[in-house]
Amino acid sequence: MLPRKSIIPEEFALPGLVSRIPRKPVFRDRINKARFIAKSGSCNIAHKNIREQGRFLQDVFTTLVDLKWRFTLVMFTMSFLCSWLLFAMGWWLVAFAHGDLDTNRKAGIEQCVTNVKSFSSAFLFSIEVQVTIGFGGRMITEQCPTAILVLILQNIAGLIINAIMLGCIFMKTAQSHRRAETLIFSRNAVIAVRNHRLCFMIRVGDLRKSMIIGATVRLQVVRKTTTPEGEVIPIHQIDIQTESAAYSNNMFLLAPLIICHVIDKDSPLYDLSAMELQCSDLEVIVILEGVVETTGITTQARTSYVAEEIQWGHRFVPIVTEEEGVYSVDYSKFGNTVKVPTPKCSARELDEKPFILIQTMQKSELSHQNSLRKRNSMRKNNSMRRNNSALMMPKVQFVTPECNQNIAAT
């Protein structure tokens, strides 16, 4: 049986109409690359398949300091409990060997440890010895040299446990990254023209009044590269120079500073334009190091900027003002930026064609003048409208009672 022919022509059918509709190109979002350093400063690295686990036990103190707080508190509690139980067993064995636990013993024989008649009393005596409480109900006598040896061993072991655990807790509370919580970075980085050169800029600041001595800032670009021999380097770190490092290794972080990197021929950003930057997978890592003034401990604060967090053609707003003889810092505008005229081309193209910068500046000057003219014209129009409305308003004469009496007298 032949299929029935449709009444509607094929060119006007739904499939034909859909095929003739021009489709818009579909732009897929770029797959987000994993960050090497998080915005908080933590390293985004997972260590797997470590076979030589015993190396961590060779440095027990550092391993304990690196543990999380819940594990540290468990280790702190268990170390004391285990030592008390271990030496309680020792004291019970000493009393058992001397016959102090025998209920049928003679009354004239003196005990090694007085009032130790069970494991519970031996455990209490172990706590009294190690913590040096000394309630006075239980004490050691001269009858057993073994008991004197156990007393010496427990005192030495207790001092070692106290030194390790208290030192571990002190180091955890005084870790350098705690001071780094008050070292802040701008949310975004900017690229703009400064001194007729394209520059990569970030802002850093310190919220505390105690200063960071010998503060240094290092910038690195991390990207995936391939060598001419075909070797793939997933994390290729490239150091980039800053203006502060060019003249001095240290900076005076008294107020928030703008760290500037001039994009020259030695910079890994030299060949990137505004469009190419958005499509690149680079990550700029910022490392701020220094010595804490109050504790003398070296601290380090880290952050990173991916391509989406680099604003081309922006500049940081000033936040330091002088008020009543004191320099005031407004941290509410710490990361605020404003748009400035900036060429969209790369730094290489800007060096080869200097007229691009001149044209950009001229266009920005013309647009600024046009905006000023529009504002002046709007102000003039508003003032003319006000004058015309004042002229067109009818005059109203108010008559007082005195004026009425004068009119009647005439």
Side-chain angles (χ1 to χ4, degrees):
M1 183 177 179
L2 297 175
R4 295 180 62 182
K5 193 174 182 180
S6 177
I7 301 175
I8 303 175
E10 295 181 356
E11 59 270 15
F12 293 102
L14 185 59
L17 292 175
V18 172
S19 62
R20 286 185 294 174
I21 295 175
R23 296 183 180 180
K24 295 181 180 180
V26 179
F27 296 96
R28 295 184 179 180
D29 295 336
R30 184 174 63 87
I31 299 175
N32 292 330
K33 175 180 171 292
R35 304 178 74 108
F36 185 60
I37 298 294
K39 295 297 289 184
S40 60
S42 59
C43 298
N44 189 20
I45 296 178
H47 299 278
K48 297 181 179 180
N49 301 325
I50 300 176
R51 297 181 180 179
E52 299 181 359
Q53 298 287 345
R55 292 182 176 270
F56 295 99
L57 298 178
Q58 295 177 3
D59 189 6
V60 180
F61 185 77
T62 305
T63 304
L64 292 176
V65 173
D66 290 338
L67 289 176
K68 295 183 179 180
W69 269 107
R70 54 179 178 268
F71 299 117
T72 303
L73 294 177
V74 170
M75 292 291 294
F76 182 84
T77 306
M78 293 303 298
S79 62
F80 284 102
L81 285 178
C82 292
S83 64
W84 294 339
L85 288 172
L86 178 63
F87 284 99
M89 181 62 69
W91 290 116
W92 185 84
L93 291 175
V94 169
F96 179 78
H98 193 259
D100 297 341
L101 304 179
D102 190 4
T103 57
N104 298 324
R105 60 173 296 166
K106 297 180 180 180
I109 300 176
E110 191 176 2
Q111 297 178 341
C112 288
V113 180
T114 58
N115 296 328
V116 174
K117 301 177 182 180
S118 62
F119 184 79
S120 299
S121 58
F123 180 73
L124 292 175
F125 182 70
S126 175
I127 296 176
E128 293 176 11
V129 170
Q130 187 165 335
V131 188
T132 63
I133 296 176
F135 291 116
R138 284 170 288 270
M139 61 181 179
I140 192 172
T141 63
E142 301 175 355
Q143 297 296 321
C144 302
T146 307
I148 298 174
L149 179 62
V150 174
L151 177 65
I152 294 173
L153 291 177
Q154 186 170 6
N155 286 329
I156 294 174
L159 291 175
I160 294 174
I161 294 173
N162 288 335
I164 295 176
M165 289 293 103
L166 295 178
C168 176
I169 292 178
F170 173 76
M171 290 301 297
K172 285 186 71 66
T173 54
Q175 281 182 338
S176 59
H177 65 82
R178 303 296 179 186
R179 179 62 176 87
E181 296 294 334
T182 52
L183 298 174
I184 57 176
F185 301 88
S186 58
R187 183 69 182 177
N188 298 313
V190 298
I191 292 179
V193 177
R194 174 184 276 192
N195 297 327
H196 308 290
R197 302 293 299 273
L198 274 180
C199 297
F200 173 88
M201 292 173 284
I202 62 168
R203 176 176 276 171
V204 298
D206 188 5
L207 299 179
R208 289 187 181 273
K209 291 184 178 180
S210 59
M211 297 181 56
I212 298 295
I213 302 173
T216 59
V217 175
R218 293 189 293 118
L219 273 68
Q220 285 186 344
V221 172
V222 178
R223 65 190 341 175
K224 181 179 179 180
T225 58
T226 304
T227 62
E229 294 80 13
E231 180 186 1
V232 178
I233 303 176
I235 303 175
H236 187 203
Q237 302 180 18
I238 307 172
D239 292 330
I240 57 179
Q241 194 78 4
T242 60
E243 283 187 349
S244 59
Y247 300 100
S248 175
N249 293 327
N250 302 330
M251 64 179 184
F252 191 49
L253 193 59
L254 181 62
L257 299 178
I258 296 177
I259 307 301
C260 178
H261 160 65
V262 179
I263 304 177
D264 52 9
K265 61 181 180 179
D266 297 328
S267 173
L269 309 176
Y270 190 59
D271 296 324
L272 292 179
S273 62
M275 295 298 294
E276 293 173 349
L277 178 64
Q278 297 299 323
C279 301
S280 63
D281 59 348
L282 62 85
E283 180 180 354
V284 181
I285 298 176
V286 183
I287 303 172
L288 173 60
E289 293 180 335
V291 179
V292 182
E293 184 181 17
T294 54
T295 61
I297 300 175
T298 303
T299 185
Q300 184 183 92
R302 300 178 296 267
T303 190
S304 67
Y305 300 93
V306 294
E308 291 82 1
E309 297 170 347
I310 302 175
Q311 297 179 345
W312 193 288
H314 285 70
R315 182 185 298 163
F316 291 108
V317 299
I319 61 174
V320 180
T321 56
E322 187 177 357
E323 299 177 358
E324 299 178 357
V326 178
Y327 288 97
S328 175
V329 181
D330 187 4
Y331 281 98
S332 63
K333 302 178 182 179
F334 183 80
N336 294 358
T337 59
V338 292
K339 288 186 177 181
V340 291
T342 305
K344 299 293 183 180
C345 62
S346 63
R348 177 186 292 275
E349 188 176 356
L350 193 63
D351 290 343
E352 295 175 353
K353 302 175 182 179
F355 63 88
I356 297 177
L357 180 61
I358 299 174
Q359 291 178 356
T360 304
M361 295 302 175
Q362 290 177 351
K363 289 180 181 179
S364 65
E365 185 66 25
L366 290 175
S367 62
H368 181 65
Q369 291 179 359
N370 292 332
S371 62
L372 289 178
R373 291 173 183 174
K374 288 181 181 179
R375 290 179 184 176
N376 293 331
S377 62
M378 291 177 64
R379 290 176 182 175
K380 289 180 180 180
N381 293 332
N382 292 332
S383 61
M384 291 178 64
R385 289 176 183 175
R386 290 175 184 175
N387 294 332
N388 293 334
S389 61
L391 292 173
M392 293 176 64
M393 288 180 61
K395 295 183 179 180
V396 179
Q397 183 177 2
F398 296 94
V399 180
T400 59
E402 295 178 356
C403 294
N404 293 334
Q405 291 176 4
N406 294 333
I407 292 173
T410 56

